[in-house]
Amino acid sequence: MRPLRLSSSTYFSRRRIQFAQCYHQTPRHLSAMSSENPTADHPASPGDDHGKHPRKLIFAPGDIQVSTPNDQTTPPHKPDTATPANVSRLVAEALRSETSTPNSVTENQIVSHPARAHQFVTNPPLTVSQMHPTNPLHQFHTWFRDPRLSASSAPETCTLATASLPSGRVSARVVYLKELDERGWVVYSNWGSRKGKGAQVFGTQADGDSVLGAMPEPCADDDEMPQGNKWAALTFSWGTTERQVRIEGLIEPLSREESELYWRTRERGSQIGGWASWQSKVLWSAEPDSLIERRRKSLAQDVFPQAIPGDVDETDIDDGRALLEKRVHEMEERFANTEQIPLPPFWGGVRLVPESVEFWQGRRSRLHDRFRYVRVHDPQSDSYKWRIERLSP
């Protein structure tokens, strides 16, 4: 169990904010889960206080630190021993890194060790009896609390993928899970750039402005909501437990009140950085081949890994970092006399409301176990339930 990464009802009962009722007025959102029985699923009734205050299963992991006995320090990496299998693997890796086009001799050396590939042997077989019978969010919660995932391994690290329309061009970036509640997975970021994920998710501005002036409200009408591609995917990969979780669904913005709650957990330097950064804006560029003569001469080109020289401040060239630091200094002066730095209008949280959630666990010979939850509409209750499928590896 890893209670430090989970919200406690005592702590958050004072800090939860009343979420907009519109989240529960449409079947697009998940039904609430009973606080008395966390494994039971039921729709939130209008008078149900739990429907107004959805229970957070995870809140700000990595930001709020509490020592627990289950937080174990990651054991130091043990160097490969000189066994024949490891030696052959190292030889193969060296050949791959040093030879772009192997000749017949090196090819034979590489393919002569077919057992060098990593085999997944950590876990017993994954069967449907081990999966939560009705709700993938609880199943994710169970895997996330696995004591083998220490705090130092940052299990909240994940990859968010979005796509531009109409081109369909996909981009992905590493982000951090900050909340898991009864409706989905929450991440926070700067969404202001028209060149980055903000434009993909929320669309470009009708007035041609280069930045998103303010985060859309979650209950905005379709005419008011910027038009972008709300479909996104989130992937968690945990090498320690040889598991992955893949979530696909629709992105919805959090209310400003919800974003402010997390914003207040960030340290002051990160808040300044949130204001200072024009995320994804080009600060500097160099034309092809223009750096050959301009780059610093004191850097040893043939040494690996390359060391940063002691006189880098005198010998290096301006590459745009000074512009960012100037912006940071301006924000520090702007908020010098402000005790609580306000939330930027273009910065906030989004929730990925799942349509499907896949749980992947490695098995020997690449015969992995894969179970997927797919949300299906229940016409009798006008809500959603989850169908469970086993997928071929």
Side-chain angles (χ1 to χ4, degrees):
M1 303 292 290
R2 300 182 57 252
L4 98 138
R5 296 208 169 260
L6 311 175
S7 61
S8 72
S9 58
T10 302
Y11 176 75
F12 286 107
S13 62
R14 303 193 304 269
R15 306 224 24 211
R16 290 186 192 127
I17 34 187
Q18 183 168 353
F19 295 104
Q21 288 288 338
C22 65
Y23 282 129
H24 299 283
Q25 292 172 352
T26 169
R28 186 167 69 87
H29 300 283
L30 301 176
S31 60
M33 293 180 273
S34 170
S35 57
E36 289 77 15
N37 181 6
T39 62
D41 303 343
H42 64 86
S45 61
D48 186 358
D49 184 66
H50 194 65
K52 298 178 183 178
H53 303 271
R55 185 166 59 92
K56 294 182 186 299
L57 303 177
I58 297 170
F59 182 81
D63 294 276
I64 299 176
Q65 296 292 343
V66 180
S67 298
T68 69
N70 291 322
D71 257 337
Q72 303 172 358
T73 303
T74 303
H77 174 71
K78 296 182 180 179
D80 291 322
T81 56
T83 62
N86 285 332
V87 170
S88 64
R89 177 176 61 81
L90 295 173
V91 169
E93 290 176 352
L95 288 169
R96 281 199 177 113
S97 62
E98 297 172 6
T99 308
S100 58
T101 307
N103 56 35
S104 59
V105 176
T106 57
E107 282 181 350
N108 288 335
Q109 289 179 288
I110 290 174
V111 302
S112 64
H113 304 285
R116 69 179 178 275
H118 173 71
Q119 294 296 321
F120 297 90
V121 296
T122 298
N123 300 297
L126 182 65
T127 62
V128 70
S129 62
Q130 302 169 48
M131 308 299 293
H132 193 280
T134 60
N135 197 303
L137 287 96
H138 282 306
Q139 181 62 40
F140 178 89
H141 193 204
T142 299
W143 276 20
F144 190 86
R145 292 181 302 139
D146 191 310
R148 293 174 295 174
L149 294 176
S150 64
S152 60
S153 70
E156 66 271 18
T157 306
C158 50
T159 300
L160 174 66
T162 54
S164 300
L165 293 178
S167 67
R169 184 169 181 172
V170 178
S171 62
R173 74 286 296 164
V174 174
V175 295
Y176 295 101
L177 171 71
K178 292 303 179 185
E179 296 179 39
L180 173 67
D181 61 22
E182 296 148 354
R183 294 164 293 181
W185 287 257
V186 174
V187 299
Y188 290 86
S189 188
N190 181 326
W191 301 89
S193 173
R194 195 169 63 174
K195 300 292 185 182
K197 59 185 179 296
Q200 293 178 326
V201 174
F202 298 118
T204 56
Q205 304 302 291
D207 57 7
D209 193 1
S210 60
V211 297
L212 182 69
M215 288 289 292
E217 285 298 318
C219 296
D221 295 333
D222 290 340
D223 294 338
E224 299 176 4
M225 180 77 76
Q227 296 303 305
N229 181 12
K230 303 299 188 294
W231 284 100
L234 202 61
T235 301
F236 293 82
S237 178
W238 299 315
T240 304
T241 57
E242 297 182 346
R243 287 170 171 171
Q244 294 182 47
V245 181
R246 300 175 58 242
I247 305 126
E248 297 178 1
L250 293 168
I251 281 182
E252 62 182 17
L254 269 62
S255 69
R256 184 171 179 84
E257 291 74 20
E258 291 175 278
S259 293
E260 284 178 339
L261 174 60
Y262 169 69
W263 174 259
R264 291 197 296 271
T265 71
R266 290 169 66 89
E267 53 105 8
R268 188 176 180 87
S270 295
Q271 293 177 339
I272 291 289
W275 275 98
S277 175
W278 300 290
Q279 195 166 75
S280 300
K281 179 180 179 179
V282 176
L283 299 178
W284 177 88
S285 65
E287 296 302 318
D289 301 330
S290 63
L291 287 180
I292 295 178
E293 296 299 327
R294 296 178 60 197
R295 67 181 302 173
R296 53 180 177 256
K297 303 297 184 181
S298 59
L299 184 62
Q301 301 299 315
D302 298 329
V303 176
F304 185 83
Q306 292 182 336
I308 302 298
D311 61 346
V312 64
D313 292 334
E314 290 74 28
T315 60
D316 210 352
I317 61 176
D318 178 23
D319 59 7
R321 180 73 188 187
L323 180 59
L324 175 61
E325 293 177 352
K326 178 177 180 291
R327 175 78 172 170
V328 170
H329 182 67
E330 291 173 352
M331 293 300 107
E332 288 175 338
E333 289 186 340
R334 175 178 174 180
F335 297 112
N337 299 319
T338 304
E339 182 178 355
Q340 289 192 353
I341 298 176
L343 174 71
F346 48 81
W347 198 99
V350 298
R351 178 182 292 105
L352 183 62
V353 180
E355 295 288 333
S356 68
V357 185
E358 178 190 328
F359 293 86
W360 179 102
Q361 184 168 285
R363 291 285 298 276
R364 183 180 290 277
S365 301
R366 299 301 189 265
L367 299 176
H368 311 306
D369 289 317
R370 299 172 62 191
F371 285 97
R372 180 173 63 188
Y373 293 75
V374 180
R375 192 163 60 172
V376 294
H377 181 62
D378 181 8
Q380 296 182 347
S381 61
D382 196 29
S383 62
Y384 285 95
K385 294 185 177 180
W386 295 94
R387 180 176 68 242
I388 303 180
E389 306 168 332
R390 176 184 276 275
L391 303 180
S392 171

